[in-house]
């Protein structure tokens, strides 16, 4: 019993310890479960991280590959850059050499330009001495503004700006011409030559010729004036330097061969004198020499005889053909080398043929008129080998070469001009009228009245926009063509 009493406390203690151990064991089980959950979570995280590491390794491998490729490209770019730098250096050296050559050329051109400006300034100063324009648009004639030596005529004429009286010249045709600077040259009282300019409102006397003036013509540069002079005793052609108001050369033709027509082709002057066509090549036109040393009668011209006396001759605007007409109505055509390419009977005998060459729509035309009241239009084609056209309606002529158009006018024709801007032909007539015709059908579109006698001379200004006409002892300065009144028949090409 006592032993049992001694064991019972021990059993109670053991029981309490067992309970404590069971409680502790339960805590351990709970911790185990918690740790096991943590381990499972860690294993999942580790697996995920292993996948990421694997992917990162692949990325690193790709980056290493790209890095190697980039390094190769960078190396290649460095090589290319070095090559470009070398080429750039070479280009800089070449550019420096080019710049040096350019600077040298620029200086040379600048020196030449300066010299040209000085030369041009000198030429302008010389040309200003003889005026600038024949047809200023705003000119109004007043008592103080009249041209010196040319007295104004007060009668009123439609489409005319004003009229001036001039000294009578026995030679009727080819004694009026206008140059590229709009300076008008006109024969005055048989032996005097005047240069007219409306801008300066004066007429200056160029000089007095040794014989009667028969014709005159400006060269293409407008600086030299050729004048055909002559009478029964002598016949010469005088070349005047207008800038110096001096005689430059004197060319001799056979006695009694009056020069009636002149035409320039560059520095070649062609003249019709008597039964001969003369041609000279004038040298020294641009030289600044002593004038007297250039008065030369010894220059030998090329000369060709004709059956009849030459009445007119003219080089075409393009200088490709030369056309001559004679008093007996014959027309001759020459090429640019002055080789004859054709002959035709253009008008009746003793017709006093008027002549005009012009280009229209790429075709070269020749207009002729005469005192037998006939206006004809010819077409030159195929290297100027023939003149082709329909048979004249009048039936008067029966020849192999015929004009494209044959118009029987009521009165004789004294002169012909071509207006390119209006594609029209203008003719002077023995009644004093000036007629305008369409081209190429030759329909009459306007009649200008004003002259008291036949206007033997017609001349257009430099831009072909206006006209001056000369009769026996008067000149009419007409308004610009664009200011002409509309023709009464409503067929006109001008409107106002």
């Amino acid at each position: 019993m006592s032993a049992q009493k001694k064991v019972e406390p021990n059993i109670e203690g053991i029981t309490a310890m067992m309970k404590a151990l069971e409680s502790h064991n339960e805590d351990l089980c709970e911790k185990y479960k918690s740790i096991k959950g943590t381990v499972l979570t860690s294993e999942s995280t580790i697996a995920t991280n292993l996948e990421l590491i694997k992917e990162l390794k692949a990325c690193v491998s790709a980056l290493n590959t790209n890095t190697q490729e980039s390094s190769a490209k960078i190396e290649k770019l460095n090589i290319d850059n070095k090559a470009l730098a070398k080429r750039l250096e070479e280009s800089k050296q070449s550019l420096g050499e080019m710049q040096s050559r350019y600077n040298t050329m620029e200086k040379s051109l600048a020196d030449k330009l300066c010299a040209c400006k000085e030369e041009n300034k000198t030429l302008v100063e010389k040309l200003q001495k003889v005026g600038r324009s024949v047809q200023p648009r705003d000119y109004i004639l007043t008592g103080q503004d009249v041209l010196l030596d040319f007295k104004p005529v007060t009668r009123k004429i439609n489409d005319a700006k004003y009229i001036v009286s001039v000294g009578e010249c026995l030679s009727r045709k080819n004694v009026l011409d206008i140059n590229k600077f709009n300076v008008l040259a006109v024969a005055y009282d048989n032996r005097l030559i005047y240069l007219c300019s409306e801008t300066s409102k004066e007429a200056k006397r160029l000089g007095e010729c040794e014989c009667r003036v028969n014709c005159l013509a400006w060269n293409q540069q407008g600086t030299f004036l050729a004048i055909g002079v002559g009478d029964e005793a002598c016949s010469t052609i005088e070349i005047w330097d207008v800038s110096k108001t001096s005689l430059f050369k004197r060319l001799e033709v056979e006695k009694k061969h009056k020069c009636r027509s002149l035409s320039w082709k560059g520095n070649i002057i062609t003249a019709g004198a008597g039964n001969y066509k003369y041609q000279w090549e004038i040298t020294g036109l641009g030289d600044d020499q002593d004038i007297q040393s250039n008065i030369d009668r010894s220059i030998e011209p090329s000369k060709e005889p004709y059956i009849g006396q030459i009445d007119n001759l003219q080089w075409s605007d393009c200088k490709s053909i030369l056309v001559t007409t004679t008093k007996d109505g014959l027309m001759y055509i020459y090429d640019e080398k002055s080789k004859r390419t054709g002959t035709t009977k253009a008008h009746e005998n003793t017709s006093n043929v008027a002549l005009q060459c012009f280009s229209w729509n790429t075709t070269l035309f020749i207009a002729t008129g005469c005192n037998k009241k006939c206006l004809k239009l010819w077409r030159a084609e195929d290297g100027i080998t023939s003149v082709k056209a329909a048979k004249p309606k009048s039936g008067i002529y029966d020849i192999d070469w015929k004009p494209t158009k044959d118009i029987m006018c009521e009165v004789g024709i004294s002169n012909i001009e071509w207006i390119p801007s209006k594609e029209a032909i203008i003719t002077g007539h023995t009644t004093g009228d000036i007629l305008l015709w369409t081209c190429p059908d030759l329909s009459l579109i306007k009649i200008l009245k004003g002259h008291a006698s036949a206007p033997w001379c017609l001349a257009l200004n430099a831009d072909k926009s206006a006209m001056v006409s000369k009769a026996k002892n008067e000149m009419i300065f007409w308004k610009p063509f664009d200011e002409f009144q509309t023709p009464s028949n409503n067929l006109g090409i001008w409107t106002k």
Side-chain angles (χ1 to χ4, degrees):
M1 186 71 175
S2 61
Q4 186 177 1
K5 289 182 180 180
K6 289 180 181 181
V7 173
E8 285 180 357
N10 290 334
I11 293 172
E12 291 178 356
I14 291 170
T15 301
M17 288 178 64
M18 288 179 65
K19 289 182 178 179
L21 287 171
E22 288 176 356
S23 176
H24 182 65
N25 183 51
E26 290 177 357
D27 292 338
L28 289 174
C29 287
E30 290 294 328
K31 288 181 179 180
Y32 172 75
K33 289 179 180 179
S34 176
I35 291 170
K36 188 177 180 180
T38 302
V39 169
L40 291 174
T41 302
S42 298
E43 288 178 351
S44 177
T45 302
I46 290 170
T48 302
N49 289 337
L50 288 174
E51 290 295 329
L52 291 174
I53 290 170
K54 186 177 179 181
E55 293 177 359
L56 289 172
K57 286 181 177 181
C59 290
V60 170
S61 178
L63 286 173
N64 289 333
T65 302
N66 291 336
T67 300
Q68 292 175 355
E69 294 176 353
S70 298
S71 298
K73 291 181 179 179
I74 290 171
E75 184 177 358
K76 186 176 181 301
L77 288 173
N78 287 334
I79 294 172
D80 292 343
N81 185 49
K82 290 179 180 179
L84 288 173
K86 184 179 179 181
R87 290 176 60 185
L88 179 61
E89 185 64 27
E90 293 174 351
S91 298
K92 285 182 178 179
Q93 293 177 357
S94 176
L95 182 61
E97 295 174 358
M98 292 176 64
Q99 183 67 39
S100 177
R101 290 198 299 269
Y102 171 78
N103 291 337
T104 302
M105 291 177 64
E106 184 181 34
K107 186 177 184 303
S108 175
L109 289 174
D111 293 340
K112 290 181 180 179
L113 180 61
C114 184
C116 288
K117 286 182 177 179
E118 289 297 324
E119 184 178 354
N120 184 63
K121 182 179 177 181
T122 302
L123 181 60
V124 169
E125 290 175 352
K126 291 178 180 179
L127 291 173
Q128 284 176 344
K129 295 179 181 179
V130 292
R132 285 292 185 186
S133 174
V134 176
Q135 294 289 338
R137 301 293 180 261
D138 57 351
Y139 185 85
I140 299 175
L141 185 65
T142 65
Q144 292 181 325
D145 294 334
V146 298
L147 301 174
L148 297 178
D149 298 319
F150 293 162
K151 297 180 180 179
V153 178
T154 57
R155 70 176 186 272
K156 182 175 177 57
I157 300 174
N158 290 335
D159 298 315
K161 299 180 75 172
Y162 64 93
I163 315 171
V164 294
S165 63
V166 295
E168 181 178 352
C169 183
L170 293 178
S171 298
R172 298 178 296 182
K173 295 193 293 185
N174 303 322
V175 291
L176 172 70
D177 197 15
I178 300 174
N179 70 0
K180 64 181 291 185
F181 301 105
N182 281 332
V183 177
L184 180 149
V186 61
Y188 187 98
D189 283 343
N190 294 322
R191 296 174 65 174
L192 300 177
I193 299 295
Y194 275 79
L195 305 178
C196 300
S197 169
E198 283 189 305
T199 299
S200 60
K201 302 179 179 60
E202 61 182 3
K204 295 184 178 180
R205 196 173 86 172
L206 175 64
E208 183 174 358
C209 300
E210 62 177 8
C211 302
R212 191 182 79 186
V213 175
N214 295 314
C215 59
L216 54 82
W218 286 102
N219 70 337
Q220 292 161 256
Q221 291 73 28
T223 53
F224 286 83
L225 183 68
I227 306 170
V229 300
D231 50 28
E232 297 299 325
C234 67
S235 184
T236 60
I237 297 170
E238 298 181 0
I239 310 294
W240 285 75
D241 185 342
V242 176
S243 64
K244 299 178 180 179
T245 320
S246 301
L247 182 62
F248 178 75
K249 284 186 185 293
R250 184 181 290 115
L251 310 172
E252 189 174 33
V253 300
E254 292 190 17
K255 291 182 178 180
K256 297 184 180 180
H257 285 183
K258 294 180 182 179
C259 179
R260 299 183 181 277
S261 187
L262 293 164
S263 186
W264 289 84
K265 178 189 175 185
N267 64 338
I268 295 175
I269 181 70
T270 306
N275 295 65
Y276 288 89
K277 173 176 70 68
Y278 291 82
Q279 200 159 305
W280 294 266
E281 184 173 2
I282 309 299
T283 59
L285 288 180
D287 298 340
D288 187 12
Q289 304 177 22
D290 175 56
I291 297 301
Q292 294 301 318
S293 66
N294 284 291
I295 299 178
D296 193 351
R297 294 177 181 269
S298 63
I299 302 176
E300 287 294 328
S302 62
K303 188 170 68 172
E304 179 181 350
Y306 280 70
I307 297 174
Q309 288 192 358
I310 296 177
D311 198 38
N312 264 306
L313 61 78
Q314 184 182 9
W315 281 100
S316 61
D317 290 340
C318 58
K319 309 302 178 186
S320 62
I321 71 164
L322 172 70
V323 182
T324 66
T325 58
T326 62
K327 283 186 173 295
D328 55 3
L330 288 172
M331 179 167 66
Y332 299 83
I333 302 174
Y334 298 82
D335 63 16
E336 58 186 359
K337 296 182 180 179
S338 297
K339 179 182 178 181
R340 187 188 297 185
T341 59
T343 307
T344 184
K345 183 74 171 178
H347 294 274
E348 294 182 55
N349 294 342
T350 64
S351 294
N352 289 321
V353 180
L355 172 68
Q356 180 64 217
C357 301
F358 62 93
S359 297
W360 180 76
N361 276 0
T362 70
T363 301
L364 187 61
F365 284 92
I366 302 168
T368 59
C370 67
N371 57 10
K372 302 296 183 181
K373 308 178 182 179
C374 187
L375 171 64
K376 295 185 179 183
L377 182 64
W378 310 75
R379 181 170 57 247
E381 294 178 338
D382 303 326
I384 321 300
T385 56
S386 66
V387 179
K388 304 176 181 178
K391 186 176 181 180
K393 295 180 180 180
S394 63
I396 296 175
Y397 308 108
D398 185 14
I399 54 178
D400 293 332
W401 293 2
K402 301 175 179 66
T404 60
K405 193 75 175 179
D406 185 4
I407 299 296
M408 299 301 293
C409 307
E410 295 182 359
V411 291
I413 297 173
S414 59
N415 210 327
I416 304 175
E417 278 291 344
W418 162 248
I419 310 172
S421 62
K422 301 302 180 182
E423 297 182 352
I425 294 171
I426 189 163
T427 57
H429 293 261
T430 52
T431 57
D433 297 335
I434 296 175
L435 277 56
L436 285 81
W437 312 77
T438 59
C439 180
D441 58 342
L442 293 183
S443 297
L444 181 62
I445 52 177
K446 189 173 179 63
I447 300 176
L448 301 175
K449 293 184 175 292
H451 282 294
S453 59
W456 291 102
C457 296
L458 303 174
L460 302 184
N461 64 350
D463 62 4
K464 313 297 183 185
S465 64
M467 173 182 64
V468 178
S469 58
K470 180 183 182 301
K472 182 178 180 180
N473 51 15
E474 65 183 6
M475 283 195 305
I476 296 180
F477 291 75
W478 297 90
K479 294 178 181 178
F481 298 124
D482 288 337
E483 297 179 16
F484 276 12
Q485 296 178 359
T486 304
S488 58
N489 58 7
N490 293 323
L491 297 176
I493 50 179
W494 292 275
T495 58
K496 182 179 179 181

